[in-house]
Amino acid sequence: MHRVIISGIGVEIPEPSITNEELVDSFNAWVEMENVRRQASGETLLQKSDSAFIVHASGVQTRHVIEREGILDPTRMAPRIPARPDDALSLEAEFGIASARKALDHAGVEPSDIDLVICSASHHQRPYPAIAIEMQQAMGTKGAGFDMGLGCSSAAAALHIAVNLVRAGAHRRVLVTTPEIITGHLNFRDRQTHFIFGDASVSMVVEGLAQGDKRPGRFEVLDTRTWTQMSNNIRTNLGYYTRTAQDDPYMINLEGNLIKQVGNKVFKEVTVAGHQFIVEFLAEHGLTPQAIRRFWLHQANARMNAMILKLSFGHEVGHDRAPMVLDRLGNTAGAGAVVALSENHADMNAGDYGLLCAFGAGYSIGGALLRML
């Protein structure tokens, strides 16, 4: 059994950003137009949104996106992402490669040193060819590649697989990449979810630790864990069979098929499950939350993270113990916890423990117990 480390981490954040105020102005302009139609037809009128509601509900102040003008156009309310020819690099592969190259540089390795690429994200641009295989060709990595996903736990689940493949000797060095272009699937006309998500891409290089190699400043992965439980409280129905349910299968109706969630149930149930997962996972290693120097949790909801940690510690903990990037990036699905890790580890000392933990639709939870070398 090999010791395994995360030798490189890379993060790519798109430059365009949208503030709460900008998003609310667009949403409310659409509501006004839609309510004129609804009033004429006798339908229930829609409620406007406001920035105070968004901050209270999520803690999000702003988010970065692949494309902002289409999102803010009240007659469209979706990013404008032009189609590319089949022989051109796809947007998801391009976004994944942007963070992957940074991770390779951080690890001090070349693409040819990688023998497996795992592209794990909550939403993939297409079913096949796999985005990971496209990245493999474009970057010049060796071996193989495959796509996978587990909602917002996608990066943690892929890390679980990569670590155990390296530990078992099946692969020498694995690139895990999570390019999250979640605004392409978001319903910006849904008051409950239009403000939650942003776009980001993260990558990690996972490899064995050679005997006698110290690798200071890197993290050894002591253990990983995944947990799932079926729930429809976070769901999307847009899939490969969507067209078959339509009267005209060549005119796809997106209504009701995009991301939807029952926010209050998600908050309560994931808070309980997340707390239980963390405490039990650490206990398997003879550790308590107090022994962990830093928690890099899924960046979905500031209040939920605070509650999970309060239940785990018995008291409130601050940004130093559990850093948040949610306020400026929004919920970047599988990428968020890795962004928090990338930005908040340089001050840790050798021997310090850290816990990467993400929660997602399914429900799903993925965790990795790390120790600074």
Side-chain angles (χ1 to χ4, degrees):
M1 301 291 286
H2 300 280
R3 295 174 67 189
V4 181
I5 63 171
I6 300 173
S7 60
I9 305 173
V11 173
E12 179 72 11
I13 305 296
E15 183 177 351
S17 65
I18 298 176
T19 66
N20 285 347
E21 291 72 21
E22 290 174 313
L23 200 65
V24 165
D25 286 346
S26 172
F27 179 83
N28 289 346
W30 173 76
V31 167
E32 289 178 358
M33 293 186 295
E34 176 65 11
N35 279 345
V36 171
R37 184 192 67 79
R38 287 176 174 245
Q39 189 168 31
S41 62
E43 298 177 57
T44 302
L45 299 184
L46 298 176
Q47 184 180 357
K48 290 185 175 181
S49 187
D50 64 79
S51 295
F53 160 73
I54 293 175
V55 173
H56 172 74
S58 67
V60 178
Q61 301 276 357
T62 188
R63 71 282 298 145
H64 286 252
V65 298
I66 286 289
E67 198 279 331
R68 60 174 256 133
E69 301 308 323
I71 294 171
L72 294 177
D73 180 352
T75 66
R76 177 181 174 87
M77 301 181 80
R80 288 188 174 90
I81 302 175
R84 299 181 180 183
D86 289 352
D87 59 354
L89 190 67
S90 71
L91 178 62
E92 186 177 6
E94 179 180 87
F95 201 31
I97 288 172
S99 65
R101 293 201 185 281
K102 293 179 180 180
L104 294 173
D105 287 344
H106 185 216
V109 299
E110 298 297 325
S112 58
D113 295 320
I114 301 294
D115 61 357
L116 178 66
V117 177
I118 304 175
C119 182
S120 184
S122 58
H123 299 90
H124 286 293
Q125 186 168 347
R126 60 168 189 269
Y128 48 82
I131 301 298
I133 299 175
E134 185 181 13
M135 291 179 60
Q136 176 192 22
Q137 180 187 46
M139 297 180 67
T141 66
K142 296 180 178 178
F146 64 83
D147 293 350
M148 60 169 284
L150 193 63
C152 292
S153 300
S154 291
L159 180 62
H160 174 66
I161 291 174
V163 166
N164 284 285
L165 285 173
V166 172
R167 183 166 285 147
H171 287 276
R172 181 168 177 266
R173 189 176 285 113
V174 180
L175 173 67
V176 171
T177 184
T178 302
E180 293 284 18
I181 307 175
I182 209 159
T183 55
H185 196 86
L186 183 58
N187 184 359
F188 284 97
R189 294 176 177 175
D190 176 16
R191 184 177 182 270
Q192 298 301 315
T193 59
H194 78 111
F195 57 87
I196 296 175
F197 295 100
D199 300 325
S201 177
V202 298
S203 294
M204 294 177 283
V205 176
V206 178
E207 62 180 290
L209 183 66
Q211 188 173 4
D213 191 353
K214 301 300 183 181
R215 300 304 294 271
R218 300 302 190 263
F219 284 105
E220 180 178 3
V221 184
L222 301 179
D223 196 10
T224 58
R225 187 76 78 254
T226 55
W227 170 94
T228 58
Q229 177 181 291
M230 179 61 188
S231 170
N232 284 319
N233 289 327
I234 311 174
R235 187 178 178 100
T236 173
N237 287 319
L238 186 62
Y240 312 135
Y241 303 142
T242 303
R243 64 193 291 264
T244 66
Q246 311 298 325
D247 291 335
D248 182 347
Y250 294 95
M251 295 294 292
I252 296 177
N253 178 15
L254 297 181
E255 187 66 29
N257 288 317
L258 299 177
I259 298 171
K260 56 186 177 182
Q261 71 173 28
V262 185
N264 59 336
K265 288 188 177 181
V266 171
F267 185 96
K268 293 176 183 178
E269 294 170 3
V270 173
T271 295
V272 172
H275 159 247
Q276 185 175 359
F277 177 92
I278 288 172
V279 171
E280 291 180 356
F281 183 30
L282 294 179
E284 291 180 18
H285 295 272
L287 299 171
T288 65
Q290 287 75 11
I292 306 303
R293 173 65 184 90
R294 188 152 287 151
F295 291 80
W296 306 284
L297 301 183
H298 175 45
Q299 304 290 304
N301 186 290
R303 292 189 299 122
M304 184 170 70
N305 282 10
M307 182 60 70
I308 288 172
L309 291 165
K310 185 175 182 180
L311 289 172
S312 300
F313 279 84
H315 58 80
E316 294 183 354
V317 299
H319 176 85
D320 179 68
R321 201 65 171 271
M324 296 292 293
V325 299
L326 172 76
D327 56 336
R328 59 185 173 84
L329 297 181
N331 179 350
T332 53
V338 181
V339 175
L341 167 62
S342 176
E343 294 184 357
N344 298 275
H345 73 274
D347 62 334
M348 295 177 65
N349 298 316
D352 283 350
Y353 291 104
L355 183 69
L356 179 77
C357 191
F359 332 109
Y363 295 125
S364 63
I365 303 178
L369 178 61
L370 312 180
R371 183 171 57 198
M372 178 71 83
L373 295 175

